[in-house]
Amino acid sequence: MSEQLSKFQEYLQSQRLKLTRSRKLVLEAAFSLHEHFDAESLHERIKGLNVSLATVYRTLPLLQEAGLVQLALRKDGRDFFEHILGHPKHLHWLCESCQRVYETELEELIPILENKAKSQRFTINTINIHISGICWKCRKNENDSQ
Amino acid sequence: MSEQLSKFQEYLQSQRLKLTRSRKLVLEAAFSLHEHFDAESLHERIKGLNVSLATVYRTLPLLQEAGLVQLALRKDGRDFFEHILGHPKHLHWLCESCQRVYETELEELIPILENKAKSQRFTINTINIHISGICWKCRKNENDSQ
DNA sequence: ATGTTGTTGCAAATGATTCTCAATAACAAG
DNA sequence: CTTGTTATTGAGAATCATTTGCAACAACAT
């Protein structure tokens, strides 16, 4: 059994919730996609397997609470998630011009954030950093056309 | 004329847009509130002055593009903004238990982020950092009740 | 003053997410 | 491996923040 599945099962048991066929499929879908996904892309991924979109929406918070998935960013009025197994956390860079999303490591920021957390006795669960601006490709195009 | 108003006017002119009564009122409302606000709270703030909610929604992106306001966080399915005049940027700490939002400075992170930006030739426009977890008040209550 | 063009309020539309409910599936216990 | 208990499901309706269409109106350049 995959690491993520047993982690999910463990979480569900701790909450007296059930490990169902639909939930397994949603979990698998989430880990089969190696980019940001929203509820609809998960649903699309398991289309034909008789799992309703409502169930995908209902499963997403469970995956978050289980520490398997986290909200990555909001784009075009929709929530996008990413799975986290042991993945280093990362920054998200959003280009306001082309809407592309880039990622970089955030390792070096963690100690600083943990320090701040400590001083106000805050227990960190997830860290989410978004930087909006213009990426080099778009900056380049702007210059080209001037 | 307030600094924010002339900045807004400057932006509008650069885009051949008009400085209207409604837009002025929305701007004033945004700067009169010293906490996070959503479209509805702005509308509420200028209730009776005959500015429609749709216009508030239409003005918000303009204020963002003018660099006067930025999206601060999403809560309860709504977007919350904050004004920025010369304000130091800050981190947002969201308590998952009581839903309170705390803020702290982020000064020391800026050079690191600018460095990362430079190395990938990204032009930073806005920085948004959210940390979710449990605040000390809720942590305390949890312990009390155990 | 006046024409041109952007803007507004209003109401209807949109679209992601949530909810309702009767039917069904997990799973613990015998 | 049956059965009872309780959580879960699919389907579709309901919500609710945000967006849009449109005809009347207001900014502002000339």
Side-chain angles (χ1 to χ4, degrees), chain A residues 25-58:
Chain A
L25 288 168
V26 174
L27 175 72
E28 278 168 28
F31 278 85
S32 75
L33 295 170
H34 295 294
E35 2 144 324
H36 296 137
F37 52 83
D38 62 354
E40 197 119 9
S41 28
L42 289 187
H43 188 229
E44 180 67 17
R45 197 83 175 69
I46 53 182
K47 176 175 51 181
L49 296 175
N50 202 39
V51 175
S52 79
L53 183 54
T55 294
V56 174
Y57 273 109
R58 285 187 279 232

